[in-house]
Amino acid sequence: MDSKDLATRIAEILDSKKGIDIEVIDVAEKTTLADYFIICTGNSTTQVKALADEVEYVIKNEFGIMPDHVEGRGNNHWVLVDYKDVVVHVFHPEERQEYNLEQLWENHRKIEQ
């Protein structure tokens, strides 16, 4: 599975669980960190956790892929799920507004879902 297909599938999973303002940003030509950043918001810490959990669960069961690492589980205000070429950021609304990752990558190509 290539990184674009993985990013697209993750965006679908987040959408199916009512993730808000899902953005898939192609950063491959601008950084070595990843090919795609996926940014999503959950309405509460419970939903942030549920969104991140669902991504991990479905990707593991459909493709046998485990994340390289996961950060932010302690408070569920910003959970990062790292699949190396695809990095998923699931934010609580206040953290998404504060960190505003989209602004850092605003001149980069966004992938339509």
Side-chain angles (χ1 to χ4, degrees):
M1 162 168 280
D2 71 14
S3 57
K4 184 175 182 180
D5 291 339
L6 180 60
T8 300
R9 181 64 183 119
I10 290 170
E12 292 169 354
I13 294 164
L14 293 167
D15 185 57
S16 76
K17 287 295 180 183
K18 308 292 187 223
I20 302 166
D21 295 329
I22 302 163
E23 293 196 41
V24 180
I25 304 171
D26 182 346
V27 296
E29 293 181 13
K30 300 297 181 184
T31 183
T32 59
L33 296 174
D35 292 340
Y36 296 94
F37 283 171
I38 301 173
I39 302 170
C40 175
T41 301
N43 279 320
S44 64
T45 57
T46 302
Q47 188 184 21
V48 168
K49 180 183 183 313
L51 288 163
D53 287 350
E54 185 70 4
V55 167
E56 283 187 76
Y57 177 80
V58 172
I59 296 303
K60 176 185 173 190
N61 287 317
E62 286 186 7
F63 308 109
I65 301 171
M66 297 293 295
D68 189 44
H69 69 278
V70 179
E71 297 179 18
R73 290 255 190 238
N75 62 22
N76 294 313
H77 284 266
W78 177 3
V79 177
L80 180 144
V81 184
D82 184 353
Y83 287 100
K84 295 182 183 171
D85 293 333
V86 178
V87 178
V88 184
H89 301 269
V90 184
F91 285 101
H92 189 270
E94 292 157 1
E95 279 70 18
R96 184 164 181 177
Q97 183 177 5
E98 180 178 341
Y99 291 102
N100 198 6
L101 292 184
E102 297 92 331
Q103 184 178 17
L104 292 174
W105 303 102
E106 68 185 348
N107 294 325
H108 297 72
R109 193 174 66 142
K110 294 183 181 173
I111 305 302
E112 295 299 322
Q113 303 165 48

